[in-house]
Amino acid sequence: MKRDISIETRALRRVFKGVPGAGDVVALDSVDLAIEEGEIFGLLGPNGAGKTTMIKILATLLLPTSGEAYVKGLEVSKNASKVRKIINLVSGGETPGYGILSVKENLWFFSQLYGLSRQGANERIKNLVTQLGLDNYIDTRMSKLSTGYKQRLNLARGFINNPSVVFLDEPTLGLDVLSAKQLRTMIKSWMTDGTKTVLLTTHYMAEADEMCNRVGIIDQGRILACDTPQKLKAKIASRPSWKIEVTPNIQELDTLKTVPGVIGVSEVSNIETGTSTLKLVLEDESVMSDLLSTINRNGSRVLNMGKSEPTLEDVYINLVGKGLQ
Amino acid sequence: MAVADFLKSARESFWVGWKVESNWADPVLFATYRIVQPLASLLIVAFIVIIGASTGTGLQRDYLARLIVSTAFFVYVAQITTNMGWLVHTDRSRYEVLKNIYISPGTLHPYIIGRGLVSVVNATISVIVTLLFSIAVFNGILNLGIPINLLSVNLLLLVPTVLLGVSGLIAVGYMLSAINIVSNRLEFILGESLAGIFFLLGGVIFPVTALPSQVQPLSAILPITYFLDAVRDSFGLGTTGSALLDLGYLFLTTVGIGIFAYAVYRKAELRAKRLGLFDRKSEY
Amino acid sequence: MTLVSPTLRDEITANMRAAKARMWVRIKGGNRELTHYIAEVVLPVLTIGAYVILYKTLGLPPSLGAAVIIGGAMIAFWTNILWNMSAQWFWEKEMGNLEMYMVAPVSRMSVLLGMAMGGAINTSLRATGIILLGVFVFQVPFQVHDLLVAGLVFLLTVISLYGLGMVFASLYMLYGREAWHTNMLLQEPVFFLSGSYFPTIYVSVIPVWLQVTATLIPMTVGLDAIRRVTIQGQGLMAVWPHILALIAFIAILIPVARMALNYMENLGKREGRLTLRWQ
């Protein structure tokens, strides 16, 4: 079934003035994107890729330099007040209100910014508080909440007006595994009626893989690929992904990238054990012998190696040539 | 810690303070309010005296001279207490660097003092400009013949007075910083409250003998009272007797407040470590 | 999907709810800390006390002491307008809340209105405390013959002052530390010009040009009117020019605030500085 387009950008471009002498910064460069109603769409990219700029434009906080951005068919820069009635925004790591007010008072305040009636607001607050496990903290001042609970409150605030479109900018930033999982469950359960849309930005590949119907990979202001996680992974299935554990840590990671046939590499180091786990995307497996020699020349020894199922991280490495972390 | 290390840390902190308190804003704006603000305070009290004269009491020139000098030097009190009263809040909650400074080898002592010295430099600029402006306006433009002669100021008395007075005020600011480490939400009011108390009890715009007799003993234990007395003496405007006696009292009260401030700091530091307050963020 | 257009009545209701909620936050936040309330009443009384004693030392009439107490109460309003009204978007930005206001579907003027109403109510409580404490401690004379006119003059003064606060709030929206410095710049000079501690208009020793400049500040006009009604016992005939001037201030300042708000919001969105912190 063909669904309505909920979010759309056409040749969207945003340039910021750089520091003197450094030239302008192109945060978004001719971005075309169409997100359907009922989708959770993930924007994956490193810091400075343009994810937050995209969200700020769509959330009416920033004007584009050129191009167009639509939410539910409304051009955002011309219809800001109409767009605001149907959206909300949650930024990870932001303070969700006034420290001196309790959880309930903060939520009530934000419900009034969306014009909810007293009864409507109370019901909505009750539901959100239960869904997000904030029941025991309803009368606690926001300043006394832990980071995880503050972020739950932030999310509750973001859903207070039951928006049609929600922008989640790194919503699980700094959260522990359990809190992040609860937040993801809540977002997915809110999506069940098929009329809502989420645009999510994240650093976490697994989060995008688990939550998103489709993912756009963005780097230096350009969308490099856009599809379902399964299709993105399938596209690189012909290119083997390898996981190699080495010790001591690789000193010159760039030397591995220069090996012919290596498409991209990422590294996660473990300081305690003195090992590095390398993820590599290769043209084909004939590269392996050159690769292992280069690792040896770096003074590292292979402890473990094996082929791995392609992940979104491999897709990212394949496109950008390096990992996100 | 060695004295050289302490001085180096204080110097670096002064540099940071200068950057934070001046360079981020438009320098013209910064200079303007450093000068305009104290001038406006002075004009308020000076005009009260001038308007008073117009009601038939006659212009009390000596009184106006004392009032101008006292108000000009009160800028040290206002700026040091207010700015040092804010220091912990800005560095802990806004810039979130207090914990890093605390665990650095330099510790907080030279940092607080170095930051306080920024207020001293700023206040000194304000004091000089205020005095020059007063003479230009009241003796130049309005030709009121106020008996202030900057060329006959007793520098041998003024310099040690200012050094001692400023030391006492930095000790007060140091104590305010210590209190703010362990308190929550007092930063907005502590510095200004203290400046208000000093303004009322320190003999700034009227002699302390005009205060109700019950509160005069409070005035006698404040270093500010002797600081302003000695400053007026150095301008040849003293009314309370021996300048050296004022200087002696100023020295004693400054040492006293320094010891008290250090004791408060030690107590605050222990409490802050026990309760984990060095990285607490005030959220409003 | 079709979007249902809200009626004008819905829009007004939503905006009134937002204003009421912002007012509630201000009142609740402002009175939750007892230390702040005490400081905001006692602190001005310390300064007022110094000026009352100065007047006594100079042998001036006690009515001037009463004038200082009224001035001290109005200073509470001016301080509130500078730090809790003009600088409020700056505080919200520092706290990370500005973004939430900016994506909300209500007029920012409603939010400013809520802040102003909350600030006016909070400060009125404090101003009453200052006057009562001042009168009790310093025993200065007051005489009010026409409560209605006194109330009207006070109300118009407060509305015009908060109107000015709304203009400043809009202009400060994009600024960080500069807003702070501008506030510092506007504090003492306005105390001086508006006659908080002594009358600055209708006083022969103050140069005419300075008196004219002073009347550009709503507080100068309001203070003079309030003093006439509450200290000198005068009525409507004496203060009708003040009332007209205050109405004119309101009629100019509120639309200017709205224009400034729209202009600064658009400028911020164009330059990407709307929610940029740590400036």
Side-chain angles (χ1 to χ4, degrees):
Chain A
M1 187 183 77
K2 179 77 180 156
R3 287 174 178 273
D4 287 340
I5 298 296
S6 199
I7 298 169
E8 189 178 8
T9 66
R10 294 179 196 157
L12 195 66
R13 183 176 165 83
R14 174 69 215 202
V15 180
F16 290 103
K17 268 190 191 154
V19 289
D24 290 347
V25 178
V26 180
L28 289 177
D29 193 2
S30 280
V31 174
D32 292 308
L33 200 63
I35 302 171
E36 290 177 359
E37 193 173 74
E39 265 195 307
I40 300 183
F41 186 93
L43 262 185
L44 264 180
N47 289 335
K51 305 186 298 287
T52 300
T53 302
M54 170 86 112
I55 281 196
K56 281 193 170 177
I57 290 174
L58 289 164
T60 77
L61 290 171
L62 187 67
L63 291 174
T65 307
S66 62
E68 291 157 4
Y70 296 88
V71 172
K72 295 281 181 190
L74 298 164
E75 214 286 319
V76 290
S77 54
K78 295 187 186 116
N79 300 285
S81 54
K82 285 182 182 163
V83 170
R84 285 171 187 152
K85 290 187 201 310
I86 51 173
I87 63 161
N88 212 325
L89 165 69
V90 177
S91 300
E94 283 288 2
T95 313
Y98 297 93
I100 205 162
L101 300 183
S102 71
V103 165
K104 189 179 179 183
E105 288 167 342
N106 268 303
L107 288 175
W108 180 81
F109 170 63
F110 285 108
S111 76
Q112 298 309 290
L113 285 188
Y114 288 87
L116 269 67
S117 66
R118 182 183 290 269
Q119 194 191 353
N122 284 339
E123 278 173 20
R124 192 91 195 113
I125 291 167
K126 202 175 159 197
N127 288 340
L128 285 167
V129 161
T130 307
Q131 272 182 301
L132 287 158
L134 282 163
D135 307 74
N136 293 333
Y137 298 91
I138 192 152
D139 294 318
T140 306
R141 281 190 192 189
M142 191 202 78
S143 57
K144 306 271 182 208
L145 295 178
S146 66
T147 308
Y149 279 95
K150 272 185 193 153
Q151 189 55 7
R152 288 174 196 223
L153 172 59
N154 201 4
L155 212 69
R157 183 199 55 73
F159 287 88
I160 195 79
N161 57 327
N162 197 16
S164 302
V165 178
V166 174
F167 301 104
L168 302 175
D169 193 8
E170 307 274 2
T172 54
L173 193 73
L175 291 188
D176 61 72
V177 177
L178 187 66
S179 300
K181 192 173 165 54
Q182 280 174 323
L183 291 193
R184 288 198 288 267
T185 309
M186 187 261 154
I187 293 163
K188 281 197 276 189
S189 69
W190 175 76
M191 295 289 293
T192 47
D193 74 352
T195 63
K196 316 287 192 209
T197 311
V198 170
L199 173 56
L200 166 95
T201 72
T202 182
H203 276 91
Y204 306 123
M205 302 284 184
E207 184 169 275
D209 208 347
E210 180 197 329
M211 289 189 73
C212 298
N213 306 100
R214 285 194 304 143
V215 166
I217 292 179
I218 186 169
D219 191 48
Q220 296 184 347
R222 287 175 170 272
I223 301 277
L224 303 178
C226 179
D227 217 323
T228 64
Q230 293 74 21
K231 284 185 181 165
L232 285 172
K233 286 184 275 187
K235 279 178 191 167
I236 62 155
S238 60
R239 291 177 164 175
S241 297
W242 281 80
K243 200 183 253 186
I244 303 176
E245 193 183 0
V246 298
T247 189
N249 296 333
I250 288 279
Q251 298 299 314
E252 300 283 339
L253 193 66
D254 284 346
T255 57
L256 301 185
K257 290 181 190 166
T258 59
V259 175
V262 172
I263 293 168
V265 58
S266 76
E267 180 198 26
V268 178
S269 295
N270 186 331
I271 299 167
E272 280 178 23
T273 58
T275 60
S276 293
T277 303
L278 306 172
K279 285 216 78 179
L280 295 124
V281 179
L282 310 174
E283 288 276 356
D284 55 54
E285 293 184 348
S286 65
V287 181
M288 282 308 285
S289 63
D290 281 352
L291 185 65
L292 294 173
S293 314
T294 312
I295 290 172
N296 279 332
R297 275 203 300 280
N298 260 282
S300 298
R301 182 162 56 84
V302 174
L303 295 176
N304 231 320
M305 59 189 285
K307 237 175 149 175
S308 59
E309 283 296 309
T311 62
L312 276 182
E313 188 180 7
D314 299 325
V315 175
Y316 186 83
I317 293 168
N318 186 48
L319 289 164
V320 181
K322 61 183 185 208
L324 255 182
Q325 268 92 33
Chain B
M1 188 174 46
V3 174
D5 289 341
F6 186 95
L7 291 176
K8 187 172 179 299
S9 292
R11 197 181 65 221
E12 296 301 328
S13 309
F14 176 85
W15 176 81
V16 169
W18 185 254
K19 288 275 179 191
V20 169
E21 288 178 29
S22 62
N23 276 11
W24 283 16
D26 180 73
V28 176
L29 187 61
F30 175 79
T32 309
Y33 98 85
R34 279 277 174 242
I35 296 161
V36 169
Q37 210 182 8
L39 282 183
S41 302
L42 173 72
L43 286 174
I44 289 170
V45 283
F47 268 89
I48 288 175
V49 178
I50 293 166
I51 287 171
S54 74
T55 62
T57 58
L59 184 61
Q60 302 176 43
R61 288 182 174 78
D62 286 343
Y63 194 101
L64 186 55
R66 283 195 293 276
L67 192 138
I68 289 168
V69 170
S70 307
T71 311
F73 279 84
F74 187 76
V75 170
Y76 279 116
V77 183
Q79 294 200 2
I80 294 172
T81 51
T82 308
N83 291 342
M84 289 183 82
W86 269 99
L87 175 62
V88 165
H89 169 70
T90 52
D91 282 27
R92 181 167 59 185
S93 286
R94 188 180 296 170
Y95 302 122
E96 298 180 31
V97 294
L98 194 73
K99 58 180 182 294
N100 307 90
I101 294 161
Y102 181 69
I103 61 167
S104 71
T107 79
L108 275 180
H109 308 286
Y111 183 74
I112 294 172
I113 290 166
R115 291 290 297 270
L117 289 173
V118 177
S119 302
V120 174
V121 172
N122 283 330
T124 304
I125 296 167
S126 297
V127 170
I128 293 168
V129 171
T130 307
L131 286 172
L132 291 173
F133 179 87
S134 305
I135 289 166
V137 170
F138 297 116
N139 284 353
I141 300 169
L142 299 176
N143 202 19
L144 295 179
I146 311 296
I148 299 177
N149 184 354
L150 294 182
L151 296 175
S152 65
V153 172
N154 181 352
L155 288 175
L156 285 176
L157 177 60
L158 183 65
V159 172
T161 299
V162 170
L163 287 176
L164 270 177
V166 159
S167 305
L169 287 166
I170 286 185
V172 170
Y174 177 79
M175 184 174 68
L176 293 180
S177 297
I179 294 169
N180 279 331
I181 289 170
V182 289
S183 71
N184 201 7
R185 304 197 175 101
L186 282 182
E187 60 268 9
F188 291 113
I189 54 175
L190 212 51
E192 286 188 37
S193 302
L194 213 55
I197 291 168
F198 290 161
F199 188 68
L200 180 65
L201 302 180
V204 187
I205 58 173
F206 52 82
V208 289
T209 48
L211 284 165
S213 55
Q214 304 93 308
V215 293
Q216 286 187 26
L218 285 175
S219 172
I221 57 166
L222 297 179
I224 312 306
T225 311
Y226 305 107
F227 169 60
L228 293 177
D229 262 347
V231 165
R232 286 189 291 260
D233 284 336
S234 65
F235 278 77
L237 299 164
T239 54
T240 54
S242 166
L244 281 179
L245 203 60
D246 280 334
L247 210 55
Y249 278 129
L250 177 59
F251 177 77
L252 286 178
T253 48
T254 299
V255 170
I257 200 108
I259 294 168
F260 185 65
Y262 185 71
V264 170
Y265 178 88
R266 294 295 299 171
K267 212 165 171 58
E269 184 186 25
L270 278 176
R271 187 173 163 78
K273 275 161 86 167
R274 205 168 60 240
L275 300 175
L277 303 177
F278 280 108
D279 58 351
R280 177 176 60 185
K281 232 182 134 181
S282 303
E283 287 171 307
Y284 297 96
Chain C
M1 189 188 124
T2 52
L3 294 170
V4 182
S5 295
T7 62
L8 181 65
R9 192 181 160 176
D10 292 340
E11 290 281 353
I12 292 170
T13 308
N15 279 286
M16 284 300 105
R17 279 181 180 148
K20 190 179 147 204
R22 191 62 190 81
M23 178 183 80
W24 174 82
V25 168
R26 166 122 314 165
I27 293 171
K28 193 111 181 166
N31 293 310
R32 205 159 252 186
E33 295 292 328
L34 185 66
T35 48
H36 283 191
Y37 183 81
I38 293 169
E40 282 160 11
V41 172
V42 175
L43 194 58
V45 172
L46 293 176
T47 315
I48 289 167
Y51 287 107
V52 173
I53 295 172
L54 173 64
Y55 279 126
K56 282 187 180 165
T57 309
L58 293 170
L60 299 177
S63 62
L64 278 172
V68 174
I69 289 173
I70 295 283
M74 291 313 286
I75 280 175
F77 281 101
W78 185 244
T79 311
N80 182 261
I81 282 156
L82 283 183
W83 297 106
N84 293 102
M85 184 77 211
S86 307
Q88 193 59 37
W89 291 131
F90 165 67
W91 296 126
E92 300 291 358
K93 197 191 300 198
E94 291 282 288
M95 286 189 280
N97 285 340
L98 187 61
E99 192 173 272
M100 301 175 207
Y101 282 109
M102 290 298 143
V103 297
V106 287
S107 160
R108 285 91 183 89
M109 283 299 281
S110 310
V111 178
L112 282 182
L113 178 68
M115 284 179 194
M117 289 192 301
I121 291 170
N122 273 352
T123 313
S124 296
L125 288 173
R126 284 153 176 72
T128 308
I130 291 168
I131 290 174
L132 291 177
L133 194 60
V135 170
F136 175 73
V137 174
F138 302 111
Q139 305 286 315
V140 287
F142 279 95
Q143 45 171 336
V144 185
H145 294 310
D146 196 336
L147 260 179
L148 201 67
V149 174
L152 177 70
V153 166
F154 171 74
L155 192 70
L156 290 173
T157 306
V158 169
I159 295 172
S160 59
L161 280 179
Y162 279 93
L164 188 60
M166 285 160 100
V167 175
F168 284 141
S170 310
L171 295 175
Y172 285 7
M173 188 183 255
L174 298 190
Y175 297 98
R177 295 179 61 81
E178 293 88 346
W180 180 279
H181 291 313
T182 310
N183 263 359
M184 296 295 270
L185 180 65
L186 287 171
Q187 204 160 270
E188 258 78 8
V190 169
F191 295 163
F192 168 65
L193 283 174
S194 65
S196 303
Y197 296 113
F198 59 89
T200 42
I201 54 175
Y202 301 113
V203 179
S204 58
V205 288
I206 308 266
V208 175
W209 63 267
L210 198 62
Q211 294 193 40
V212 173
T213 310
T215 53
L216 296 175
I217 307 166
M219 193 154 105
T220 314
V221 180
L223 248 176
D224 192 68
I226 293 169
R227 280 173 178 154
R228 282 170 188 276
V229 178
T230 58
I231 299 169
Q232 295 167 18
Q234 295 178 349
L236 186 63
M237 290 310 289
V239 294
W240 68 263
H242 299 74
I243 290 174
L244 286 183
L246 290 169
I247 291 171
F249 274 125
I250 295 165
I252 294 167
L253 290 170
I254 306 285
V256 167
R258 191 165 189 275
M259 281 190 294
L261 195 55
N262 288 340
Y263 175 78
M264 294 308 271
E265 187 183 339
N266 277 325
L267 185 67
K269 282 159 76 172
R270 217 166 40 241
E271 294 185 352
R273 290 199 287 144
L274 196 57
T275 55
L276 192 66
R277 276 197 272 172
W278 319 115
Q279 293 182 73

